[in-house]
Amino acid sequence: MSWLLNLYETYESNLDQVGVVEKKSNDREFTLLPIAHTTQNAHIEVDITEDGAFHSARVIDKDEMNTLIPCTEESANRAGSKIAPYPLHDKLSYVAGDFVAYGGKIKKEEPFTYYIAQLKEWAESPYAVSKVKSIYNYLSKKTLIKDLVDAKVLYLDEKGHLIEGWDKKYEILYKEKPQIFSVVTGGQDSAFIRFNVYSSQKLLTDVWKDRELYDSFIRFYQDLLGAADLCYVTGNFMPSTDKHANKIRNAADKAKLISANDTSGFTFRGRFNKSNQVASISYEVSQKAHNALKWLINRQGKTIDQRVFLVWGNDDLNIPDVTEDTFAIDPVPIEKHERISYTNQEFAREIAKALDGYKNDLSTKSVVNILILDSATTGRMAVLYYRNMYKELYLDRLKSWHSTCAWLHRYRKEENGDYAQFFGAPATKDIAFAAYGPKANEKIVKGLMERMLPCITDNKEIPLDIVKSAINRSSNPVSMEKWEWEKTLSITCALVNKKEGYNVTLDTENNERDYLFGRLLAIADVLERRALGSEENRSSNAIRYMNSFSKNPARTWKTIQEGLQPYQARLGTKARYLSSLIDEVASKINYADFNNKPLSGKYLLGFYSQRHELYQKKENIE
C-alpha cells in the first residue's frame, strides 16, 4: 500500500495543478484530474444559451478533442451493453432524447431515460451550478438530434434516419463527405457530445475547464457514495470502492492495477467471500492515487513496450531520472567545462555540484519513489518494481553511479544538432543498445533497464552477461557502422570501468597485460589511419582483426604487425614516433604474458585511452 499512499500524498501536494492543462513534447494535452472525473475524446461541441436554448454546434478538430468530463464509478467502468451514463457529456445515444425517433437502435432500455434522470438529480441538488441547470433544461426538450441536423452537423438518409456510415450514394444528397464522418470511427450514433454554455453578455469559462463545475459534481457525488469503511492506505474511515481506475498509461489502456470483479471461479482461492475482506480502499484515495499516477506518467514517465519507468518525489516532482545518462542531469558539454584530464575525482565534484541543486530544502518527508509498471494481459497491470527511499540517499547513490560507471562519450546531440562530448554514465536504454544492438527487441530492452536499477539505487554489481555481451559487440567493429561502434565502445568502457576505476587519461604506468595489449592495438590503428589519410575511408587492419585479437592476442598481433610494415614505409620518418611507441609498450608485457589467453574488457580501456591520447596529441600539434 506504500506506493498508493505516496501517490495520494503527491496528489495532495499538487492540488494547485488540478485541472491545469499541460502539453507533452508531441503537443498532446494532459492534466491532473479532479476526483470523480476522467477524459474522453469528444467529436461534437454543442453550445447552449444560459436560458436553456440551442445556440450552435460544430465538429471538433482532432487536436481539441480531449475533454475533461465528470464520471461515476459505474460509468468509468461500463462495457458492452451495460447502461451507465456519464453525468454530463456522453455519447449521442445517451444525451439525445430524440435518438430513437431518428432511427437510433437500442437493445433493451433507452439510455436517455437513465441519463436525464441522473442529470436531473444533479441539477436539482443544492450543489448545482447555473451551467448544469442550463444544459439540463435544454436536453429535457428532447430536440438535440433535430437541432444538430438543422445546424448541418449530423446528416439523415432519405428515410429521415441518421446515416450509419458514409457511402458514395449519399453524394447525391450532400455532394461532399461531411466532416463528422472523418472524426467518428463508427456511425454518427457513436459520436461523443460535449456541452458548453454561451452568453451574449459575458465571456464564460468552457464547461470542461470550469473548476466551479468540478467542485459542484464532486460535492454532489460524495453524498451518493456508500457507507464508510476502514481505508487500508490512510487508516481513516471513509466511503470505500471496489471499482478502480483504468486508462493509466494512455486513453486506450484498459488494464487495472487493482481489480476484484470476478466473483466466480478461483479468484479468492476459497479464503474470502468478498473482495473487501482482502483490502478496503476508499474512493477518494483510489481516485487521487490513480489520477496522480496518470499525471506523473504523462509528465515524466518513460514507456518502453508498454512498460512504464517512473521516478518522482512526493514534495518535489523534478527528481533526476534513474534511467537517464549524465548529460541529462548536467547538460553542459565537456568543451564548456574547465575539464581537461577527465579524472574520476574531478568529475565526481562536477556531478556533485549538479545533484546538490536537488538537495535544497530537504525535509524529513523528502522521499523519492521508483516505480515500474507493466501488463501481461489487456485487463491486468502489475507493479514489477517499487522502491521508496530518502531523497538524500537517492541523490548520493546517483552521484556514486555517475562518478564510477563513467567514460567519455560523444553520441548525444545538443539543441542545435551538433554532437556533444560528455563524461559520465550512459542511460540504461543506451546500455541495452551497447549490449544487444540498436535493433534489439523492446522486450529485451525493458528487461535490461529493469535489471540495471539495483546497480544504480543499491550499488549492486552490473550483471556479468550484460558486460560480456557489450564487450563482445565492441570487439567486433566490422559488424556495424562507425558511429554505432564508437557509441558501443564508449558505453562498454563505462561498464568495464565501473569495476576497474580507471581514468580516460592514458595511464603510462599501468603494466597490466590486457591494458597494454589494448594500447598496442590502438597505436597500430592510428599508424595505419595516418598512412591511409582522410581520402581512404576503409577500416584499418587493427580494427578488422579486433575480434580475433581479443581471443588470440599474441597470434593476431603478429599478423597485424606484419601488415603495418607497408604503412610504416609509406610514412617514412613520420612513423618514427608511433613505431618507437609500439616497441615501448610491447617491451612492458612480460614474456610469460605474451600468449593467446583471451583478453578481458580492460583491453578496451587501454585501446580507448591510447587512441584518445594520440588523437589529442595530433590536434595539439596541428
Side-chain angles (χ1 to χ4, degrees):
M1 294 292 178
S2 59
W3 59 273
L4 272 173
L5 178 61
N6 282 302
L7 285 168
Y8 171 73
E9 290 177 351
T10 302
Y11 190 99
E12 292 293 308
S13 300
N14 292 276
L15 290 173
D16 58 325
Q17 295 297 311
V18 173
V20 177
V21 176
E22 299 176 66
K23 281 193 175 183
K24 298 167 75 170
S25 55
N26 60 3
D27 280 342
R28 284 199 175 182
E29 293 182 344
F30 67 96
T31 187
L32 179 57
L33 295 171
I35 65 170
H37 284 72
T38 186
T39 53
Q40 278 284 354
N41 281 341
H43 306 113
I44 297 171
E45 183 180 320
V46 178
D47 283 355
I48 293 158
T49 62
E50 289 181 291
D51 56 358
F54 179 84
H55 178 267
S56 60
R58 69 182 181 97
V59 177
I60 304 168
D61 293 333
K62 287 189 177 180
D63 57 348
E64 298 178 54
M65 286 182 173
N66 194 35
T67 308
L68 184 57
I69 65 170
C71 71
T72 61
E73 289 181 276
E74 295 295 327
S75 60
N77 291 276
R78 79 183 183 195
S81 59
K82 179 182 177 182
I83 297 176
Y86 285 111
L88 192 60
H89 316 283
D90 211 327
K91 286 190 171 182
L92 190 66
S93 58
Y94 278 92
V95 299
D98 52 351
F99 181 71
V100 176
Y102 282 89
K105 296 174 183 175
I106 56 172
K107 293 185 178 177
K108 293 180 182 178
E109 299 174 273
E110 192 175 359
F112 176 76
T113 56
Y114 287 84
Y115 168 82
I116 202 69
Q118 183 174 263
L119 183 57
K120 180 183 180 182
E121 195 177 347
W122 181 13
E124 293 179 352
S125 74
Y127 309 111
V129 292
S130 58
K131 289 180 181 177
V132 175
K133 293 175 182 177
S134 300
I135 294 169
Y136 169 70
N137 290 335
Y138 166 68
L139 292 175
S140 300
K141 298 173 186 176
K142 302 183 180 181
T143 61
L144 177 61
I145 293 180
K146 175 185 176 299
D147 293 334
L148 290 175
V149 171
D150 292 342
K152 296 185 178 177
V153 172
L154 295 182
Y155 294 83
L156 306 177
D157 60 17
E158 61 278 359
K159 295 178 182 178
H161 293 167
L162 288 171
I163 296 173
E164 290 187 9
W166 183 253
D167 193 279
K168 283 195 173 182
K169 66 182 181 181
Y170 297 119
E171 289 179 359
I172 301 168
L173 290 171
Y174 301 110
K175 293 183 180 179
E176 58 184 29
K177 183 179 178 181
Q179 189 184 354
I180 184 64
F181 294 102
S182 300
V183 296
V184 294
T185 51
Q188 294 178 101
D189 56 351
S190 66
F192 195 96
I193 316 295
R194 76 183 184 196
F195 298 100
N196 209 356
V197 177
Y198 168 82
S199 172
S200 58
Q201 306 296 321
K202 55 190 174 183
L203 188 64
L204 299 177
T205 307
D206 291 334
V207 165
W208 54 93
K209 295 178 181 176
D210 193 335
R211 283 176 173 269
E212 188 184 2
L213 197 136
Y214 302 160
D215 295 337
S216 165
F217 180 73
I218 291 168
R219 291 198 304 272
F220 163 70
Y221 190 59
Q222 281 177 334
D223 281 358
L224 305 179
L225 295 174
D229 198 355
L230 176 65
C231 176
Y232 279 41
V233 178
T234 61
N236 300 324
F237 277 89
M238 305 164 75
S240 64
T241 183
D242 59 355
K243 296 179 178 68
H244 302 275
N246 55 12
K247 301 181 183 178
I248 292 169
R249 293 170 294 190
N250 52 65
D253 189 13
K254 297 296 182 185
K256 291 185 177 184
L257 276 166
I258 308 170
S259 179
N261 60 354
D262 184 8
T263 53
S264 61
F266 298 95
T267 301
F268 305 125
R269 305 283 181 188
R271 299 177 186 179
F272 307 102
N273 291 324
K274 297 178 181 177
S275 61
N276 62 5
Q277 292 174 332
V278 180
S280 172
I281 300 171
S282 70
Y283 175 78
E284 182 183 336
V285 168
S286 174
Q287 284 279 303
K288 288 184 175 179
H290 281 91
N291 288 348
L293 180 58
K294 294 175 190 179
W295 180 59
L296 288 166
I297 290 171
N298 276 310
R299 192 177 185 275
Q300 59 205 65
K302 185 173 291 182
T303 305
I304 309 288
D305 190 39
Q306 296 301 307
R307 181 168 296 179
V308 174
F309 297 82
L310 180 63
V311 180
W312 84 96
N314 286 23
D315 58 351
D316 183 9
L317 300 175
N318 298 312
I319 297 293
D321 194 334
V322 70
T323 64
E324 287 288 1
D325 58 24
T326 307
F327 189 79
I329 295 172
D330 183 21
V332 182
I334 271 176
E335 291 85 346
K336 296 177 185 178
H337 275 315
E338 293 181 3
R339 299 191 214 134
I340 299 171
S341 58
Y342 317 120
T343 64
N344 288 6
Q345 278 187 331
E346 287 179 12
F347 176 68
R349 285 195 292 270
E350 291 287 347
I351 198 66
K353 287 178 190 174
L355 289 172
D356 281 346
Y358 294 97
K359 287 190 177 182
N360 296 334
D361 303 321
L362 282 175
S363 67
T364 53
K365 289 186 178 181
S366 292
V367 292
V368 172
N369 303 279
I370 306 165
L371 183 70
I372 302 178
L373 304 172
D374 205 351
S375 56
T377 65
T378 53
R380 299 288 182 272
M381 189 184 297
V383 175
L384 301 185
Y385 178 94
Y386 176 68
R387 185 74 194 276
N388 173 264
M389 56 202 302
Y390 286 116
K391 185 177 177 181
E392 190 168 13
L393 176 62
Y394 172 76
L395 294 174
D396 287 341
R397 294 280 168 83
L398 269 193
K399 189 193 301 181
S400 172
W401 168 256
H402 286 275
S403 304
T404 55
C405 186
W407 205 252
L408 185 63
H409 308 280
R410 193 180 170 81
Y411 54 81
R412 287 292 298 264
K413 287 186 177 181
E414 294 185 85
E415 290 180 3
N416 60 7
D418 294 339
Y419 281 99
Q421 189 168 254
F422 76 97
F423 183 76
T428 50
K429 189 175 182 181
D430 287 326
I431 292 173
F433 174 103
Y436 306 122
K439 295 180 181 178
N441 188 293
E442 284 197 330
K443 285 183 171 58
I444 296 173
V445 174
K446 69 183 183 181
L448 178 141
M449 289 176 69
E450 184 183 347
R451 292 176 66 199
M452 287 300 299
L453 282 186
C455 307
I456 304 170
T457 58
D458 299 316
N459 287 332
K460 301 284 187 185
E461 290 287 328
I462 300 172
L464 196 58
D465 62 295
I466 294 174
V467 180
K468 281 187 174 180
S469 180
I471 291 171
N472 290 338
R473 289 194 73 250
S474 298
S475 300
N476 195 18
V478 293
S479 67
M480 55 189 102
E481 294 182 37
K482 189 174 188 301
W483 69 268
E484 183 185 336
W485 176 65
E486 292 286 356
K487 179 176 178 178
T488 303
L489 176 63
S490 69
I491 293 169
T492 305
C493 286
L495 298 179
V496 174
N497 198 42
K498 176 75 171 72
K499 188 175 182 180
E500 302 301 333
Y502 291 178
N503 295 322
V504 176
T505 308
L506 182 65
D507 184 2
T508 55
E509 303 301 315
N510 190 331
N511 292 327
E512 290 189 62
R513 168 186 178 268
D514 295 358
Y515 191 84
L516 293 171
F517 265 120
R519 288 185 63 189
L520 282 178
L521 190 67
I523 301 165
D525 174 47
V526 172
L527 191 152
E528 187 174 338
R529 274 256 58 86
R530 287 185 183 173
L532 291 171
S534 58
E535 294 179 4
E536 285 195 61
N537 203 27
R538 66 174 178 82
S539 300
S540 66
N541 284 320
I543 296 300
R544 287 192 286 125
Y545 285 114
M546 193 171 182
N547 193 31
S548 175
F549 181 81
S550 66
K551 296 169 184 173
N552 301 285
R555 187 176 67 197
T556 311
W557 175 247
K558 182 175 180 293
T559 306
I560 293 170
Q561 194 164 25
E562 287 172 355
L564 279 179
Q565 291 175 7
Y567 301 108
Q568 288 171 318
R570 187 188 297 185
L571 286 172
T573 55
K574 291 181 180 179
R576 188 179 300 161
Y577 171 71
L578 293 175
S579 298
S580 62
L581 193 58
I582 288 174
D583 296 339
E584 180 189 329
V585 174
S587 67
K588 291 184 178 183
I589 303 175
N590 291 330
Y591 179 78
D593 290 334
F594 205 92
N595 54 37
N596 285 316
K597 180 184 174 185
L599 299 174
S600 69
K602 290 179 190 175
Y603 96 94
L604 292 172
L605 303 181
F607 174 84
Y608 192 108
S609 294
Q610 180 66 73
R611 193 179 62 151
H612 178 71
E613 174 77 12
L614 291 171
Y615 284 154
Q616 269 203 327
K617 195 164 190 174
K618 185 173 185 290
E619 286 171 9
N620 291 338
I621 291 169
E622 288 176 352

